[in-house]
Amino acid sequence: MAQKILFCSLKGGTGVTTCAVGTALALSAAGERVLLVDGDFACASAVYLSGAGGLQVYSLEEAKKGACRVKQVLINHPRSPNLFILPTYGCDDRAFHAAAAGEVEQLFDYVLCDGTAREICNRAAVVCEPYQPCLRSAEICLNRLSDEGFGEAGIIVNKVNGGLIYDGKILPPADIAKMLRVPLYGVIPEDLTMPTGSMRQSSVKAFKMTAARIAGKGKKSFSPLKTYCGVSGYFKRKMRAKI
């Protein structure tokens, strides 16, 4: 039976889609069969961010009307044979998103839902940034998930700058998880290349560690502090402060 995980946030811009895509790629690279449900029915953000843009043949709206099967809507990622994407582009019926994902879930080990199909999910990953407004919204989101009866919910702390932790300007992700009283699923470093569709090696490593923790096969999270320690780290912090 597939693990069905909702990636969500109450605050825009925290990187929910980025974290869903990065975790899906990491899980599939580890040999798991993964379905990523793209919740952006207006722009297909997860499809394009993952590198599968332009490969959609059938739409979910066509499946809804009976013109094709849900299986035919799935996109097999061109560089990751274990990863399939269910695009919802053109179909704003969120109830059908859930029904479609539920119809094919038996084919996969993991179903990662990017802000949609929450009805079929039994776990949730709340994505937040390490700043006070985001932490408050993450707390409210976790409380709502608890009220809705989610069996387990954890957090992924995204866009973490190790220099700010070193200088005491933001809390370490482990302390954030303790404050929110939930498991820490992952720590993703600040990476300005992600919006372009690429990813630094540090981010790739961070998503691999996040995937391992979500799969129950690892206990460590990425440490964003390492590159900010020592002499070179000192100059890096100084340069970062001027940007």
Side-chain angles (χ1 to χ4, degrees):
M1 184 177 179
Q3 285 285 324
K4 300 175 285 292
I5 307 172
L6 174 69
F7 281 67
C8 61
S9 173
L10 291 182
K11 185 179 181 301
T14 59
V16 173
T17 298
T18 300
C19 289
V21 169
T23 304
L25 287 168
L27 283 168
S28 62
E32 306 286 358
R33 285 182 60 83
V34 182
L35 174 64
L36 173 62
V37 184
D38 183 358
D40 187 353
F41 58 81
C43 302
S45 296
V47 172
Y48 282 92
L49 189 61
S50 68
L55 298 180
Q56 182 174 347
V57 177
Y58 295 98
S59 71
L60 198 59
E61 187 66 24
E62 288 174 312
K64 181 181 177 182
K65 293 177 179 178
C68 67
R69 295 176 297 165
V70 172
K71 282 185 182 180
Q72 292 175 285
V73 181
L74 301 181
I75 300 171
N76 193 183
H77 195 277
R79 297 188 306 276
S80 185
N82 288 330
L83 174 59
F84 289 78
I85 304 170
L86 177 60
T88 61
Y89 180 71
C91 178
D92 61 358
D93 185 347
R94 292 188 177 275
F96 191 71
H97 297 179
E103 184 177 324
V104 296
E105 67 170 273
Q106 72 276 6
L107 302 174
F108 301 96
D109 301 310
Y110 287 87
V111 178
L112 307 187
C113 299
D114 176 21
T116 192
R118 61 191 300 131
E119 298 88 345
I120 71 165
C121 296
N122 48 25
R123 297 170 64 186
V126 176
V127 180
C128 69
E129 298 176 10
Y131 307 109
Q132 192 57 45
C134 292
L135 301 184
R136 176 58 180 157
S137 67
E139 181 181 25
I140 295 171
C141 187
L142 287 163
N143 288 338
R144 289 185 181 181
L145 289 169
S146 178
D147 292 342
E148 291 174 12
F150 271 79
E152 179 185 325
I155 62 165
I156 296 175
V157 185
N158 190 28
K159 305 180 186 178
V160 181
N161 180 274
L164 295 180
I165 296 176
Y166 194 95
D167 293 337
K169 295 181 179 179
I170 60 174
L171 289 172
D175 290 354
I176 292 173
K178 288 179 182 178
M179 181 180 69
L180 295 175
R181 301 182 298 279
V182 291
L184 178 62
Y185 283 167
V187 178
I188 311 301
E190 186 179 57
D191 185 348
L192 299 180
T193 70
M194 283 189 186
T196 68
S198 60
M199 198 180 294
R200 293 174 181 166
Q201 284 303 307
S202 58
S203 299
V204 173
K205 180 180 179 181
F207 278 119
K208 285 182 178 179
M209 297 175 80
T210 300
R213 290 200 72 160
I214 286 177
K217 298 179 180 179
K219 296 182 178 180
K220 294 183 178 180
S221 293
F222 180 81
S223 173
L225 274 172
K226 289 183 179 179
T227 58
Y228 287 90
C229 296
V231 176
S232 62
Y234 170 80
F235 287 108
K236 186 175 182 179
R237 294 198 309 275
K238 289 296 183 182
M239 291 182 65
R240 179 66 179 81
K242 293 180 180 180
I243 297 177

